[in-house]
Amino acid sequence: MKNIVVTGGSGKAGRAVCRYLVENGYEVLNLDMQPSSDPICPFYRVDLNDRGQVMDALQWTGGKDHPFRKFSTPDAVVHLAAVPAPDLMPEDATFRNNMMSTYNVFDAALRVGVRRIVWASSETTLGLPFSPDNPPAYAPIDEDHPMRPESAYSLSKDLGEEMARQMQRWNPDSTFIGLRLSNVMEPADYDRFATWQDTPHFREWNLWGYIDARDCAQAVEKALHADLVGADHFIIANSDTVMETRSADLMREVFPGVPIRGSLEGRQTLLSIEKARRVLGYEPQHDWKPEKD
């Protein structure tokens, strides 16, 4: 599995994924509306809401010397393109874009013979933004937590997971792996973390979680090779929180009535990654504050 098409390869997670895959020997093609600021792989401008353009991109058969010629049949598609968060566009525009682009990518990939699709779902499907008035059902949150989309964005991700399940059912030899990504951070973002330490309520909305873009890329590669046929989903976060305060203390202060399942050690993530560890072999490598309390 060496020829990988990445949609949204110019975005925050996409840049890290493209770089990680290229540096690990993959041939990568970035499908996006804008070129990447880190042009490590070929770029093809595609409007993913246009089904014909998506089919064209996934069936590219350029001349023998064309840089895209290896992608006449990709080995896998990594679908990261989307309006990346709530409140960036009107709700209907976000929903329409994310649903149609996901349908077009899933459908076109299956039609050209791709049997492994790794795609970006979201932590927001689990009920974000959390607050004392809208607490999680329990913590740490895992994949069994109720799905509670609270915006058109999170609803599009929730329905994307259902779309993956049904399309996989239609194509029983295929694999769809949805990564419920936490808030993506690059190393340059870590300077901001110091400003959050005195106000735990500022980041309560996702239980103080995050995912380093480089670990997001690692999770994608793990998903590309996981021994799995079917449709499944995994929370992908870092092993710690964005706070210096111990996680148990954060929960006692902000969510005192929320049941804690198991023990909380130090600054342990409250977005459980145990399933990703067990099934995908995922293990974060880039915690923002490497020294553990």
Side-chain angles (χ1 to χ4, degrees):
M1 188 171 293
K2 286 296 182 182
N3 295 335
I4 311 297
V5 167
V6 177
T7 74
S10 300
K12 199 171 190 179
R15 293 191 300 271
V17 168
C18 289
R19 175 161 288 281
Y20 187 95
L21 293 178
V22 168
E23 290 179 347
N24 282 276
Y26 296 83
E27 297 287 344
V28 180
L29 174 61
N30 171 21
L31 305 185
D32 209 316
M33 288 293 288
Q34 300 295 331
S36 176
S37 60
D38 182 18
I40 195 169
C41 63
F43 162 74
Y44 192 37
R45 189 184 306 275
V46 176
D47 180 354
L48 297 178
N49 285 289
D50 185 320
R51 187 171 177 277
Q53 291 189 34
V54 180
M55 288 293 296
D56 174 74
L58 294 185
Q59 296 182 105
W60 189 273
T61 57
K64 67 176 183 176
D65 296 322
H66 197 286
F68 302 165
R69 65 184 176 84
K70 297 181 180 180
F71 292 90
S72 55
T73 303
D75 295 316
V77 169
V78 177
H79 176 46
L80 305 177
V83 177
D87 302 324
L88 299 178
M89 298 174 64
E91 292 272 272
D92 65 310
T94 296
F95 185 82
R96 183 168 55 250
N97 176 86
N98 289 1
M99 289 305 299
M100 286 310 306
S101 60
T102 297
Y103 175 82
N104 288 341
V105 170
F106 286 3
D107 180 66
L110 292 168
R111 288 179 184 274
V112 303
V114 174
R115 287 298 175 263
R116 181 157 299 235
I117 299 170
V118 178
W119 68 285
S121 184
S122 171
E123 64 181 0
T124 63
T125 59
L126 299 169
L128 279 61
F130 295 125
S131 70
D133 294 329
N134 180 43
Y138 57 84
I141 285 179
D142 59 17
E143 287 78 5
D144 293 328
H145 190 275
M147 298 286 274
R148 296 183 346 206
E150 300 286 353
S151 66
Y153 170 80
S154 54
L155 181 60
S156 75
K157 295 297 186 177
D158 185 352
L159 295 177
E161 291 192 10
E162 182 61 24
M163 189 190 308
R165 282 189 287 271
Q166 298 306 328
M167 286 190 165
Q168 196 284 326
R169 181 175 62 85
W170 303 342
N171 300 271
D173 60 339
S174 65
T175 299
F176 286 76
I177 297 180
L179 304 179
R180 293 178 178 172
L181 300 178
S182 188
N183 190 191
V184 179
M185 300 288 182
E186 295 174 312
D189 295 319
Y190 292 153
D191 290 342
R192 293 186 290 141
F193 285 27
T195 68
W196 302 338
Q197 301 310 313
D198 295 331
T199 54
H201 287 281
F202 186 69
R203 297 286 301 188
E204 68 191 13
W205 59 272
N206 76 336
L207 297 185
W208 307 280
Y210 76 106
I211 175 66
D212 187 291
R214 296 164 294 180
D215 282 319
C216 174
Q218 178 218 149
V220 165
E221 190 195 27
K222 296 288 188 184
L224 288 172
H225 296 280
D227 185 12
L228 175 67
V229 175
D232 211 342
H233 46 266
F234 300 87
I235 293 172
I236 301 297
N238 272 72
S239 59
D240 59 351
T241 72
V242 302
M243 303 297 286
E244 295 177 349
T245 304
R246 294 167 62 88
S247 297
D249 295 336
L250 289 170
M251 291 301 297
R252 275 192 293 269
E253 179 178 351
V254 180
F255 298 109
V258 171
I260 302 299
R261 294 189 173 182
S263 60
L264 290 176
E265 303 295 332
R267 297 169 44 251
Q268 172 187 330
T269 180
L270 293 158
L271 303 171
S272 175
I273 56 175
E274 293 309 308
K275 182 180 176 183
R277 283 171 161 153
R278 183 178 71 254
V279 178
L280 302 181
Y282 166 71
E283 188 60 47
Q285 302 296 315
H286 298 284
D287 294 350
W288 78 279
K289 186 177 173 62
E291 63 275 19
K292 297 293 190 293
D293 295 336

